[in-house]
Structures are given as C-alpha cells and as structure tokens.
C-alpha cells in the first residue's frame, strides 16, 4: 500500500518513517500543499495523508479519486477543511487523529500567557541589545485571576488543570460541560458572561458553522478593558480585523495567536526574504502586546509520535476492513 503525505516537513518524515518501520506501508513525502494544482502528484496512491492547511474541497477530492485514491488520512483532529459530502459521493473514506497530546497545545497556550504577561519577548530583545532597564516590563500575578476556557474537551481540560495549578479561578463555556472541570471548581457560563468576567480567555473549541468568528467586534466589546485573548484552536474562531481595532483602543490588552485565519499561504514556509503581503497580519505584528507563533502548539515529540502512530494505525485498520476514527458528513 502506497501513501503520499502532503505538506510534510522534516519532522513528519522522521516520526512517520520511525512509526512505519517493519510495516507493509510504502510512505512518500511531498512538501507541497495539497491543492487542485498539486493533486495530480497523488496519482497512483491509494492513500493521501493530508494536514490542516491542505485543500480538500470537491474539486480536489474528485481529482484524487480519479487518480486512484481511496482513503484520505488526516494528520489532524480537525476536519473542517474537508468536503465530507463530496468525499462520500466519490467513495472516499476519511479518517482523522481525534487526539494526540492535549498537553502539547495546552502548554503552548500557557506559554503564550506567561510570555505576554511578563513581556518575555520584549525583555529578551532588550537585554540582547545591552538594555537592562525594567521600564514597561511590569506583569501581574496569575494567582487569583479569572481565566475563561472556551471549549472544554481534552485540550481545554488540560489547559484548565494547568491554570488551576497557578491558583486561577476557572470559568468555562461549552455546550457539553466536562466533569473534570466541574471537579476543579469551574463555573460554566454563557459566553457573554464569561467574556465579561474573565481577565484571560483561551480558545480551545473546534471550528464549526456555529463557532466561526465566535470572537468578533461585538464579543470583543464585552471584554474587560485590557483583557488577554489566546487562540491555539482554529484561526477562523476569531474575526482577525476586529482584533486590530480592539488592540488600538486598549479594549484588548494582550493577544497570543498560534493560528491565523489566512495562514494557509504563509505558515510552515520560510518567507523571510519576501515582503509580507498580508496587511492584517503585518499590522498585528506591529503591536508590542501581541505574540504570534506559526501553528507550532502541536509540535512536541510526544505529539508527533502520537500523530504518526494513530495515522498509520488508521490506514492499517482501513486496509484490513476494520476502519476506525472515520469522519462522516
């Protein structure tokens, strides 16, 4: 069985090659993103392994099916980028990795909070230039602060446990309350109430038609002035241009992003020698109280190993006629 991994980086090659050792799978790695233009590269591959920024709309899926692909193996938990109705119509099975290391993403969210609060990015640059003053580096104690967790699945729960360890008071928003958070003393509230009460808000919900632009101009206006917003979930959970206005007026005091709605054409590539064409992202990068990382929250050795192991297990079980982690429309 031959499988082609689109959007593969060196760390994917390492983790997947190690996980596939001794199996009958023949893996091939393609650094290009999956698009309508690159889909012909998958001709003759029964399995296409795709990542979060690969395009899997009806046209791309039709091109893959015409080339002999029968399985789309996602290396991610999210599947909002897949036209599931088209996949079903074309007879393509779609499997995903429902969980890998929730600690990886949760810990990165906490890292963004600490870096923003204690101005670590500014302090690092300042001391490298020989400036050892402390002006403008004042932070606040996390202990006793109110933290809002939006989305309380495995990642949100892991994040909540860490923040509880700091002595934070927990608020939560999710249609399905998690008993683990209730045991931590979290209070589940409607989103507007959570936004009004929390000093720090962290997004950990999936992207659906109901959560797209969950954070927008109206919801940002409900925040406490100077509140902190962290998004390690999906870029489109946030109406990004609205963030700029909230930062300019001080309504939003801190912003940490690991995902960006228009990241597909930017992230995972070295574009340091090219002018940045995205005006919204360029404007965000000018704020001293903003930290943006390029979708690296998942990037731990444990998470990579789990992603590779689960993806290959999904493929092997599908080959054996006992599929697992199927995604249906």
């Amino acid at each position: 069985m031959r499988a082609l991994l689109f959007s593969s980086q060196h760390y994917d090659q390492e983790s997947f090659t190690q996980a596939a050792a001794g199996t009958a799978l023949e893996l091939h790695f393609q650094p290009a993103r999956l698009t309508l233009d690159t889909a012909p590269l998958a001709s003759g591959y029964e399995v296409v392994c795709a990542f979060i920024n690969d395009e899997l709309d009806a046209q791309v899926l039709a091109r893959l099916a015409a080339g002999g692909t029968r399985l789309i193996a996602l290396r991610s938990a999210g599947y909002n980028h897949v036209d599931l109705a088209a996949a079903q119509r074309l007879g393509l099975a779609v499997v995903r990795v429902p969980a890998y290391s929730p600690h990886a993403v949760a810990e990165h969210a906490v890292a963004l909070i600490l870096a923003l609060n204690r101005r670590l990015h500014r302090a690092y640059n300042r001391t490298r230039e020989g400036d050892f003053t402390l002006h403008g580096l004042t932070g606040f104690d996390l202990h006793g602060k109110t933290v809002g967790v939006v989305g309380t699945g495995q990642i949100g729960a892991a994040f909540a446990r860490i923040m509880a360890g700091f002595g934070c008071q927990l608020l939560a928003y999710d249609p399905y309350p998690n008993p683990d958070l209730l045991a931590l003393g979290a209070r589940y509230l409607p989103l507007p109430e959570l936004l009004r009460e929390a000093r720090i808000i962290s997004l950990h919900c999936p992207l659906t038609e109901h959560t797209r632009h969950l954070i927008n101009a109206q919801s940002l206006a409900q925040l406490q002035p100077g509140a902190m917003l962290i998004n390690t979930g999906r870029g489109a959970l946030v109406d990004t241009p609205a963030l700029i206005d909230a930062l300019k007026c001080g309504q939003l005091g801190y912003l940490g992003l690991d995902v960006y709605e228009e990241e597909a054409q930017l992230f995972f590539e070295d574009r340091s020698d090219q002018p940045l064409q995205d005006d919204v992202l360029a404007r965000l990068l000018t704020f001293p109280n903003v930290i943006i990382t390029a979708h690296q929250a998942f990037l731990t050795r444990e998470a990579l190993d789990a992603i590779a192991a689960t993806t290959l297990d999904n493929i092997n079980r599908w080959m054996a006629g006992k599929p697992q982690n199927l995604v249906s429309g």
Side-chain angles (χ1 to χ4, degrees):
M1 178 71 69
R2 301 170 73 224
L4 180 63
L5 286 78
F6 280 96
S7 298
S8 60
Q9 304 291 330
H10 65 89
Y11 45 79
D12 295 310
Q13 296 184 34
E14 292 175 0
S15 58
F16 272 82
T17 299
Q18 180 177 354
T23 72
L25 286 173
E26 181 182 332
L27 302 180
H28 294 261
F29 300 94
Q30 173 54 247
R33 285 176 59 234
L34 174 58
T35 66
L36 187 59
D37 290 334
T38 61
L41 295 172
S43 180
Y45 288 90
E46 287 186 87
V47 180
V48 163
C49 187
F51 199 43
I52 46 175
N53 289 329
D54 288 318
E55 296 178 8
L56 291 158
D57 57 23
Q59 282 186 294
V60 172
L61 291 173
R63 182 68 61 86
L64 293 176
T69 298
R70 296 193 293 137
L71 175 67
I72 305 296
L74 301 176
R75 307 196 302 277
S76 61
Y79 51 88
N80 56 282
H81 55 313
V82 185
D83 187 331
L84 295 175
Q88 185 174 17
R89 186 172 63 251
L90 293 164
L92 291 168
V94 181
V95 293
R96 68 183 182 118
V97 180
Y100 34 95
S101 172
H103 307 291
V105 180
E107 290 170 8
H108 191 80
V110 176
L112 289 173
I113 291 172
L114 291 170
L116 285 165
N117 174 29
R118 305 309 297 266
R119 274 77 168 181
L120 296 183
H121 54 306
R122 300 186 68 186
Y124 172 79
N125 288 327
R126 188 179 293 185
T127 55
R128 282 176 62 87
E129 295 173 357
D131 180 354
F132 303 104
T133 62
L134 301 181
H135 175 72
L137 301 182
T138 304
F140 57 83
D141 289 356
L142 286 178
H143 182 84
K145 297 301 183 293
T146 302
V147 175
V149 187
V150 181
T152 57
Q154 293 191 55
I155 296 173
F159 170 80
R161 285 191 293 270
I162 298 171
M163 300 314 294
F166 278 105
C168 296
Q169 301 176 37
L170 299 176
L171 304 178
Y173 170 74
D174 195 298
Y176 307 99
N178 187 332
D180 291 343
L181 268 79
L182 294 172
L184 291 172
R187 290 189 293 131
Y188 275 83
L189 297 174
L191 184 61
E193 292 183 32
L194 181 148
L195 295 177
R196 284 194 294 268
E197 292 191 29
R199 177 73 177 270
I200 301 168
I201 299 101
S202 191
L203 307 181
H204 299 285
C205 49
L207 178 61
T208 68
E209 60 180 13
H210 302 295
T211 62
R212 182 176 295 276
H213 290 179
L214 187 71
I215 302 300
N216 50 45
Q218 181 179 359
S219 54
L220 288 166
Q222 297 171 330
L223 299 178
Q224 296 180 23
M228 180 186 295
L229 177 66
I230 305 294
N231 186 13
T232 55
R234 292 289 182 268
L237 295 174
V238 176
D239 180 6
T240 314
L243 296 175
I244 294 174
D245 292 333
L247 287 163
K248 287 169 64 177
C249 72
Q251 183 71 12
L252 190 57
Y254 310 81
L255 175 66
L257 301 178
D258 185 58
V259 288
Y260 176 57
E261 188 169 9
E262 303 300 328
E263 70 178 57
Q265 302 296 329
L266 293 168
F267 286 7
F268 307 117
E269 300 290 341
D270 181 1
R271 304 186 185 281
S272 58
D273 61 346
Q274 304 171 20
L276 182 56
Q277 301 297 322
D278 190 309
D279 293 342
V280 174
L281 182 59
R283 183 68 177 96
L284 283 175
L285 290 171
T286 66
F287 289 95
N289 52 345
V290 172
I291 295 179
I292 299 174
T293 53
H295 210 134
Q296 73 176 75
F298 77 98
L299 196 62
T300 67
R301 173 51 55 195
E302 292 82 357
L304 290 172
D305 289 346
I307 290 169
T310 302
T311 301
L312 295 182
D313 191 43
N314 286 341
I315 295 171
N316 286 325
R317 287 178 179 268
W318 173 80
M319 289 168 53
K322 300 177 181 179
Q324 66 174 7
N325 298 322
L326 281 169
V327 183
S328 57

